Amino acid sequence: MCSVQEDDNDVPFSKVRPNESIGRTCMKCQEKAVLITRVNDAFCRSCFMVYITHKFRATIGKTKLVRDGEMVLIALSGGPSSSALLHLIQEGLSERTHKKLRFRPGLIFIDEGAAVNLPSSERLNNCEKMLDTMRSTGFPCCIKALEQGFDIDNIPELTSPSGTCCPGSQVEKDLGTIDHDTESISSDISTATSSVTLNMSECSISSSMEEPCSNSREAIAVSSLSRVESSFQKYEEAEEKLRCLLKSLNSVSAQEDLIRSIRHKILSEVATTCGYSKVMLGSCGTRLAVTLLTDMAIGRGGQAAVDTVFADKRYKNLMFLRPLREFSSKEIGMYNALNDVESFFIPTLTTKGSDGASIEHLTEAFVTGLQRDYPSTVSNIMRTGEKLSTGAEEESKEYCAMCQSSLDTNVVASSALNAVQFSQRISNRAADSDSIIDKSNKTGECCGEGDGGCNTTRTRVTKQQVLASLCYGCRLAIRKIDDVEKLPLYVLKDVFWRVRREKMKSEIEEFLLDTS
Amino acid sequence: MPLKCGLCDKQAILKRPKTGDALCKECFFLAFEEEVHQTITDANLFIKGETVAIGASGGKDSTVLAYVMKALNERYAYNLNLVLLSVDEGITGYRDDSLESVKRNEIQYCLPLKIVSYELYGWTMDAIVKQIGLKNNCTFCGVFRRQALDRGALMLKVDKIVTGHNADDIAETVIMNVLRGDIGRLRRCTAITTGTDGALPRCKPFKYTYEKEIVMYAYFKKLDYFSTECIYSPNAYRGFARAYIKDLEKIRPSAIIDIIHSGESLSVKKEVKMPVQGVCVRCGYISSNTVCKACVLLEGLNKGRPRLGIGKTHKERLKMAEDLNEKGDSSINSQNFFENGQLDSFSEQSSQSGLSCCRSTTAGCSCQTSEICNDTAGIHSSVDQQKINSLAIDF
Ligand SMILES: [Zn+2]
Ligand SMILES: [Zn+2]
Ligand SMILES: [Zn+2]
Ligand SMILES: [Zn+2]
Ligand SMILES: [Zn+2]
């Protein structure tokens, strides 16, 4: 049978041969062109810089989300995109700039070396390089290790599903007043920068999650390298936990997915405890197109919009911004080359792998391959994303205990989720027992609330309880896990908290009035 | 050591592509059929006493569908009146073999068979290929087959059509629509039933069934089907999406269902305008544009401009739509399209809504079918390239 279905459209994208910039003139000023962006726009160097900076400012400016003097945490990975982001921000803040950026940046680098089994000498080396880069900016900065995600120990507040950690709210209040002061003093950029430096600084390598920023106002001093070193000793236990968890997932795609969610958790944790209300991510449009398609492939279609939109509002009181979403990786590369912006190569799980090493890796090869032949691929994919709802308008939705997205598992009878579950039931006798790890639901004595001071008693939850609190994508990621106790504490605590709430609700159910 | 069936302790002979479970033949058949039954009941696809046409191409999907539909209809007393409906595309070699296969199914499954022909448009696939060459001709395949199937079904007075679209096809369509930024189709393409708004409903009982398992089922049941691919060139988009999904499946077999879940959980921004469903002014067929894709393609063929309606020729299409409106299109009557005059219901429909609307637009439309008028106005003053770009029949 012919494979064509009635909605197939024949010529998918215009296939454009890449044009050479040699011998062409700039479309703006007729100078000699140095490069061609998008389809056929030739630019000379200075017009290109204008074009890039304008696009960057416009992306941030048009939403009016970033207020003057607001503290913004910049997430650096060492890669080309986030390095370009840092450079663009530095330029935008500098005195000579006409239309200055007026927010106050702080920098963070998350060392993910543990996930890739990088030797500690190499991890140290990466951290040193990043620290040098971050320090040279004069902005407050910090380094976290991915395994520190296992030390996050928070209990969701009754009102805020995003889960700010308890000591953080105190700090937040303190910083709030500083924030206010700075504003009233002056909007002069130099004052702003120096006072920013006071705020974050030591929320760094050696400080643990439990007491973030407690000494933040004491010193601007960036941590010495010896402290970087000692920090590796400190997180050995967490590192082991991380490795153990990743191993039990039994799939590189699942590992990547989990790393992404832990990374976001750390970012949101550092941001909220240190008084940052925005986090900027360096993902460019090409990367986001890959993310969107990957999301579709790993059952996260419902989150694809929120994962690629400019302002990701899934966390309460905190916003993730993606100011480079209008840039292609080619433009980023050109910007970095023209400005001598350095970036580092930091290995990931699939660095040495083939295209089939993971779903994300495959998707990346697929998108970049298509983009080469059909230059509208990335913008087509992004156009799809722009029309999707992020679900931000809907309040009080249930959210996933692991990735904080709204739950997509409350589905109608006729649905992929039910079909999958039916398949598992019908072709595997053991399927039902598979989902229950035989551990008694011992709820322990911990109240599961308050300041978490009683967390000495370990709270046990079953795999089924965990799965019930996760979105489709997160369920998929931990499907192969042998023991849910391997999950980070913040996930388990969140699940435990839900279980308790459920129990409470069932106890008082007969007295609840139906208000719907 | 041979693996044991996970359900009955007999020797397993296969590993299910969908779940990875080892099963014996009998248990696999049962699991396969029960899943289709579950899909049908979960979605309430049928009502007792309905006449349901099975779109039969002679290929594996529709052959297995016919077999399973018949089996389930008896086992669970759906009380459906099943018929086979086949489209003769007029492709030399391909046609003969695939039709032979459908005719064998008619006898084997004791189901009545109706064959409708492309020639109800006056064109065979071979003649189309002669005009436009080998490139792009599958646009005609797809569009004409869909309409021919609907028309055949109307002649048979059936209540519903079921097609053999499987999970792989749907996942492919989802990815394809993401790649081309087509939000309207992206939203619709995961629906298990389409065309509920007036047109003949079409359902996909294999929506959650893996292509590989369909092949397995046919193989172990020794079902008779025609497996040659269409000899003409398939579309580039779908080709990319298909290759991508095959690679995904190797990494994670559940990816196909995961993509369908993704598609099902998408929600579109409120402010994004969706194309309004209307009817083609020429033939009365359901369409989100003034003139349906089949009519555009046909017009191109008849006027010797066969590339009309393919890909980025929207300027031509725009012009055609304008011509059509200016003339009031008196030249159009249903005889051009339905030469045998057997498609009464369609001729009626087109003279009622389509043509009257079309004539009145120049002098301010007074008809009730406001969608059509909006559409026509849209084409007149069209700034919205997007909309014109997507001139096509809905999936
Ligand atoms: Zn210039
Ligand atoms: Zn999740
Ligand atoms: Zn068996
Ligand atoms: Zn074809
Ligand atoms: Zn038509």
Side-chain angles (χ1 to χ4, degrees):
Chain A
M1 161 178 178
C2 176
S3 57
V4 168
Q5 289 171 24
E6 60 290 321
D7 62 338
D8 287 12
N9 223 343
D10 256 26
V11 188
F13 340 65
S14 52
K15 190 161 180 163
V16 180
R17 291 271 121 233
N19 287 295
E20 293 296 325
S21 59
I22 299 155
R24 300 199 37 186
T25 52
C26 171
M27 61 177 285
K28 299 246 178 215
C29 72
Q30 311 309 317
E31 288 277 313
K32 192 172 149 289
V34 294
L35 85 158
I36 303 210
T37 63
R38 284 181 306 184
V39 187
N40 212 1
D41 298 349
F43 280 117
C44 75
R45 187 200 156 99
S46 64
C47 291
F48 175 70
M49 295 305 287
V50 170
Y51 159 77
I52 292 287
T53 30
H54 175 78
K55 192 152 76 163
F56 177 65
R57 306 269 168 78
T59 310
I60 295 178
K62 72 185 167 200
T63 57
K64 297 199 170 74
L65 286 172
V66 185
R67 294 170 314 240
D68 285 1
E70 186 169 10
M71 291 171 60
V72 178
L73 187 63
I74 317 294
L76 301 177
S77 69
S81 282
S82 61
S83 303
L85 174 63
L86 179 58
H87 191 268
L88 280 163
I89 290 171
Q90 277 181 288
E91 288 293 299
L93 289 169
S94 74
E95 291 281 10
R96 59 182 185 277
T97 312
H98 169 54
K99 270 183 143 185
K100 280 195 290 247
L101 295 174
R102 296 183 184 278
F103 59 85
R104 299 145 62 193
L107 311 178
I108 180 170
F109 168 69
I110 298 180
D111 162 35
E112 300 178 2
V116 241
N117 287 318
L118 224 53
S120 52
S121 60
E122 217 170 301
R123 293 180 63 186
L124 191 61
N125 192 27
N126 288 340
C127 290
E128 281 172 12
K129 277 194 286 190
M130 285 307 297
L131 201 57
D132 278 346
T133 309
M134 295 196 295
R135 255 192 207 158
S136 69
T137 63
F139 301 138
C141 57
C142 84
I143 292 181
K144 289 278 175 194
L146 190 67
E147 56 269 32
Q148 284 179 272
F150 281 81
D151 293 335
I152 300 174
D153 172 16
N154 67 325
I155 298 140
E157 290 166 27
L158 289 177
T159 47
S160 139
S162 52
T164 44
C165 103
C166 306
S169 41
Q170 182 57 39
V171 177
E172 205 170 14
K173 268 178 221 144
D174 291 349
L175 291 173
T177 54
I178 292 180
D179 216 20
H180 186 74
D181 286 345
T182 330
E183 246 178 60
S184 62
I185 295 166
S186 159
S187 59
D188 173 37
I189 202 75
S190 59
T191 323
T193 357
S194 62
S195 64
V196 175
T197 351
L198 285 174
N199 287 338
M200 190 172 174
S201 72
E202 274 281 341
C203 168
S204 58
I205 310 142
S206 56
S207 74
S208 71
M209 279 292 181
E210 287 78 14
E211 43 189 63
C213 310
S214 53
N215 50 355
S216 63
R217 278 186 246 171
E218 285 159 24
I220 304 162
V222 211
S223 315
S224 67
L225 292 181
S226 60
R227 296 177 74 178
V228 178
E229 202 156 8
S230 69
S231 74
F232 285 124
Q233 314 303 316
K234 190 165 176 187
Y235 297 114
E236 241 167 33
E237 198 191 329
E239 189 181 329
E240 189 48 44
K241 280 187 197 162
L242 174 70
R243 290 219 175 104
C244 184
L245 170 63
L246 291 179
K247 200 171 154 232
S248 76
L249 299 181
N250 212 1
S251 136
V252 181
S253 307
Q255 290 171 350
E256 278 178 340
D257 195 41
L258 204 79
I259 290 172
R260 174 162 76 153
S261 97
I262 298 177
R263 183 193 302 140
H264 268 70
K265 182 69 186 176
I266 294 176
L267 288 176
S268 73
E269 208 54 29
V270 171
T272 43
T273 51
C274 299
Y276 287 82
S277 42
K278 303 264 168 19
V279 178
M280 273 189 189
L281 303 172
S283 337
C284 67
T286 314
R287 162 60 35 200
L288 292 175
V290 172
T291 302
L292 195 145
L293 205 57
T294 305
D295 275 352
M296 294 300 295
I298 60 177
R300 293 187 183 278
Q303 299 150 28
V306 107
D307 280 342
T308 54
V309 77
F310 171 70
D312 172 353
K313 299 173 185 165
R314 102 186 72 171
Y315 301 88
K316 239 184 192 167
N317 309 320
L318 180 67
M319 224 181 261
F320 280 76
L321 302 180
R322 302 186 178 90
L324 297 188
R325 68 189 297 282
E326 317 262 326
F327 295 85
S328 71
S329 55
K330 189 177 158 195
E331 286 169 336
I332 298 289
M334 189 52 77
Y335 179 86
N336 287 352
L338 291 175
N339 292 287
D340 296 316
V341 175
E342 252 191 283
S343 58
F344 306 111
F345 170 74
I346 292 179
T348 64
L349 283 174
T350 53
T351 296
K352 289 187 205 119
S354 62
D355 284 354
S358 79
I359 291 178
E360 190 179 331
H361 204 56
L362 171 75
T363 308
E364 188 177 341
F366 176 66
V367 171
T368 48
L370 269 185
Q371 176 72 15
R372 209 164 28 238
D373 290 338
Y374 306 96
S376 58
T377 304
V378 166
S379 57
N380 272 354
I381 297 174
M382 293 300 280
R383 194 152 49 94
T384 308
E386 263 147 37
K387 292 178 194 153
L388 296 175
S389 160
T390 56
E393 309 87 50
E394 299 147 66
E395 283 280 319
S396 78
K397 256 200 163 174
E398 281 194 287
Y399 62 99
C400 169
M402 209 142 96
C403 72
Q404 312 296 317
S405 317
S406 43
L407 278 187
D408 53 358
T409 48
N410 192 5
V411 292
V412 294
S414 172
S415 63
L417 181 59
N418 278 337
V420 169
Q421 286 171 346
F422 184 80
S423 293
Q424 279 159 0
R425 271 202 311 277
I426 194 146
S427 65
N428 190 348
R429 260 186 315 210
D432 286 326
S433 56
D434 171 59
S435 51
I436 305 162
I437 291 289
D438 195 25
K439 239 181 234 145
S440 59
N441 179 17
K442 194 172 142 246
T443 45
E445 284 79 51
C446 175
C447 62
E449 274 177 36
D451 60 1
C454 50
N455 64 6
T456 40
T457 315
R458 293 275 277 141
T459 52
R460 296 224 167 242
V461 285
T462 63
K463 188 170 183 180
Q464 212 157 43
Q465 286 167 335
V466 173
L467 291 177
S469 316
L470 301 184
C471 69
Y472 186 100
C474 288
R475 287 182 188 185
L476 209 52
I478 67 155
R479 191 173 47 173
K480 293 271 169 64
I481 201 169
D482 48 359
D483 180 1
V484 286
E485 291 291 318
K486 288 178 180 173
L487 290 170
L489 201 56
Y490 67 82
V491 178
L492 296 175
K493 285 231 164 177
D494 193 330
V495 174
F496 179 68
W497 178 80
R498 286 162 201 240
V499 171
R500 266 191 54 87
R501 294 270 306 159
E502 243 351 276
K503 209 175 143 221
M504 277 156 61
K505 198 180 165 193
S506 70
E507 277 167 19
I508 56 172
E509 197 150 44
E510 53 191 306
F511 301 102
L512 296 178
L513 301 172
D514 189 7
T515 50
S516 61
Chain B
M1 196 191 98
L3 262 166
K4 284 211 168 143
C5 171
L7 294 175
C8 74
D9 295 332
K10 266 193 266 176
Q11 191 183 323
I13 60 158
L14 58 86
K15 231 175 97 180
R16 284 194 74 183
K18 196 173 181 179
T19 62
D21 296 318
L23 294 180
C24 74
K25 202 158 73 176
E26 292 309 317
C27 290
F28 169 68
F29 290 153
L30 192 72
F32 184 97
E33 290 155 8
E34 286 304 304
E35 280 177 29
V36 178
H37 173 62
Q38 189 71 25
T39 306
I40 288 170
T41 49
D42 277 348
N44 297 315
L45 287 188
F46 311 115
I47 300 167
K48 276 188 188 202
E50 279 182 330
T51 300
V52 175
I54 302 165
S57 66
K60 61 175 183 327
D61 296 324
S62 60
T63 301
V64 174
L65 180 65
Y67 183 92
V68 172
M69 280 299 295
K70 182 167 169 75
L72 291 176
N73 192 29
E74 283 160 14
R75 187 180 308 161
Y76 290 104
Y78 293 165
N79 282 326
L80 298 178
N81 177 23
L82 297 174
V83 292
L84 292 170
L85 178 60
S86 196
V87 177
D88 175 3
E89 283 116 334
I91 304 172
T92 320
Y94 180 82
R95 159 175 58 182
D96 308 328
D97 295 346
S98 63
L99 287 183
E100 276 317 304
S101 155
V102 181
K103 280 174 190 157
R104 281 196 299 272
N105 290 344
E106 175 184 19
I107 299 160
Q108 286 156 357
Y109 307 159
C110 298
L111 295 172
L113 168 67
K114 169 81 190 171
I115 298 175
V116 284
S117 156
Y118 262 20
E119 286 170 47
L120 88 177
Y121 299 102
W123 290 86
T124 65
M125 228 8 237
D126 282 347
I128 292 170
V129 171
K130 236 181 234 159
Q131 255 218 36
I132 72 160
L134 274 174
K135 223 181 150 219
N136 288 326
N137 50 57
C138 274
T139 304
F140 292 89
C141 259
V143 172
F144 285 3
R145 176 155 28 80
R146 181 192 159 101
Q147 286 212 16
L149 206 58
D150 274 359
R151 287 174 182 176
L154 275 172
M155 282 188 265
L156 291 176
K157 298 206 174 4
V158 307
D159 301 296
K160 267 163 201 163
I161 304 178
V162 290
T163 59
H165 290 110
N166 57 45
D168 300 50
D169 293 331
I170 292 165
E172 244 172 46
T173 312
V174 169
I175 295 297
M176 190 172 81
N177 287 326
V178 171
L179 288 181
R180 63 184 184 192
D182 189 334
I183 201 75
R185 290 208 188 83
L186 181 59
R187 198 188 55 165
R188 284 192 303 267
C189 71
T190 49
I192 191 162
T193 305
T194 49
T196 42
D197 43 355
L200 205 54
R202 291 174 158 246
C203 338
K204 308 171 190 127
F206 282 168
K207 180 182 176 189
Y208 300 116
T209 307
Y210 275 36
E211 185 170 283
K212 277 213 178 83
E213 301 207 342
I214 292 173
V215 176
M216 269 185 175
Y217 189 88
Y219 174 81
F220 287 115
K221 285 268 182 192
K222 300 194 174 62
L223 297 185
D224 184 11
Y225 70 86
F226 172 68
S227 63
T228 309
E229 296 286 316
C230 172
I231 55 170
Y232 299 130
S233 61
N235 151 291
Y237 258 131
R238 190 169 284 282
F240 298 140
R242 177 167 302 179
Y244 174 60
I245 285 170
K246 291 273 176 264
D247 289 340
L248 277 178
E249 199 188 352
K250 278 179 214 143
I251 301 175
R252 182 184 275 173
S254 72
I256 290 169
I257 291 277
D258 299 340
I259 290 171
I260 300 178
H261 170 79
S262 282
E264 286 175 350
S265 42
L266 293 178
S267 62
V268 179
K269 275 186 188 161
K270 283 188 203 83
E271 60 267 30
V272 174
K273 264 206 245 143
M274 287 295 160
V276 190
Q277 290 279 18
V279 216
C280 171
V281 297
R282 293 200 122 187
C283 69
Y285 190 80
I286 190 132
S287 163
S288 49
N289 295 285
T290 329
V291 183
C292 80
K293 181 129 178 171
C295 286
V296 174
L297 291 173
L298 209 54
E299 175 79 3
L301 286 170
N302 290 336
K303 292 232 169 105
R305 290 187 299 162
R307 306 199 59 80
L308 190 74
I310 299 173
K312 299 183 96 183
T313 48
H314 41 263
K315 265 190 202 144
E316 278 197 77
R317 210 181 298 175
L318 196 68
K319 196 171 164 295
M320 179 197 161
E322 273 168 9
D323 288 353
L324 229 144
N325 287 319
E326 271 161 32
K327 286 188 291 194
D329 211 16
S330 52
S331 68
I332 292 173
N333 62 53
S334 42
Q335 264 128 8
N336 287 358
F337 301 97
F338 319 118
E339 289 182 332
N340 307 330
Q342 44 182 198
L343 292 165
D344 291 340
S345 59
F346 266 90
S347 323
E348 264 171 46
Q349 209 179 333
S350 70
S351 57
Q352 273 168 9
S353 59
L355 292 176
S356 67
C357 165
C358 189
R359 285 202 193 89
S360 53
T361 35
T362 38
C365 183
S366 58
C367 77
Q368 282 88 349
T369 46
S370 59
E371 300 91 353
I372 300 169
C373 304
N374 290 341
D375 254 32
T376 317
I379 285 207
H380 275 305
S381 64
S382 186
V383 226
D384 191 358
Q385 290 278 314
Q386 210 50 48
K387 193 167 178 185
I388 295 157
N389 234 336
S390 66
L391 274 170
I393 294 161
D394 304 303
F395 179 44

